[in-house]
Amino acid sequence: MARSICLSALYFDNLALIYLLLEDPGGGRMALKTGALLAILGVGIVGVYMLMTLPQFLNVAPKPVVAHVQLVNNCPLRESAFRVQDLATGKITAFSGGYARVNTVNTHYLTLSLAKKYEDVVFSGTPVRVTENMKLTADCQTSEKENATFQSLRNSLGGQ
């Protein structure tokens, strides 16, 4: 009740202010400046309110999810060489039939890694945010640009 009375008072104060602005004896210049100032002030207040409430919409509440991960294997290695790793927990899950089911949280990131028996091989998978159905691609091909960079490094370091 008190809130509605305050809002009503503000509404009537604004009407009175608008009436005063329209009745400006100075030929309208003051009304235009004051009106523009009030408009800027109103936009500023709305902008501050939006910025204060925006983080609530951007934050995703962590919730448990079962991610169904499909392996897209573009490498000469068998599927059994790859694992899915939850970067937040370190939990590793193997693929079976090209798919893996990972119990995780929707705010975590998953990436591909190699099985422990391939510890001498370096494979860096790209972290992907968890969704219920997702694909992770294993691509072992090196691009021409990477080959040119490595050749340049070999030449500058005196290698073959």
Side-chain angles (χ1 to χ4, degrees):
M1 176 81 176
R3 185 175 183 181
S4 64
I5 292 171
C6 290
L7 289 176
S8 297
L10 285 173
Y11 177 74
F12 287 115
D13 283 344
N14 287 336
L15 285 178
L17 183 61
I18 291 170
Y19 177 76
L20 289 174
L21 289 174
L22 293 175
E23 293 296 316
D24 180 35
R29 289 185 186 166
M30 185 58 84
L32 184 59
K33 288 181 183 177
T34 307
L37 183 61
L38 288 174
I40 291 170
L41 183 64
V43 169
I45 290 171
V46 170
V48 168
Y49 174 76
M50 293 295 288
L51 287 175
M52 288 173 44
T53 59
L54 188 61
Q56 296 172 359
F57 297 111
L58 295 179
N59 290 339
V60 176
K63 66 175 186 176
V65 66
V66 177
H68 299 275
V69 184
Q70 179 184 0
L71 174 64
V72 179
N73 189 358
N74 296 333
C75 291
L77 300 172
R78 290 182 289 180
E79 166 194 305
S80 61
F82 294 99
R83 306 283 188 260
V84 178
Q85 183 174 9
D86 186 331
L87 294 177
T89 64
K91 181 180 176 184
I92 296 174
T93 306
F95 284 96
S96 176
Y99 290 91
R101 288 173 37 116
V102 182
N103 292 321
T104 186
V105 178
N106 64 341
T107 57
H108 290 186
Y109 286 82
L110 300 179
T111 189
L112 284 177
S113 63
L114 290 175
K116 288 194 180 216
K117 67 180 180 179
Y118 298 104
E119 63 187 33
D120 293 335
V121 179
V122 176
F123 178 83
S124 58
T126 305
V128 179
R129 190 164 187 170
V130 171
T131 59
E132 287 188 25
N133 295 302
M134 53 191 302
K135 291 181 182 181
L136 293 178
T137 303
D139 192 359
C140 297
Q141 303 298 322
T142 57
S143 68
E144 291 180 25
K145 187 175 183 179
E146 287 175 338
N147 288 334
T149 302
F150 288 130
Q151 186 60 42
S152 174
L153 280 171
R154 284 189 207 101
N155 291 341
S156 66
L157 297 174
Q160 298 287 343

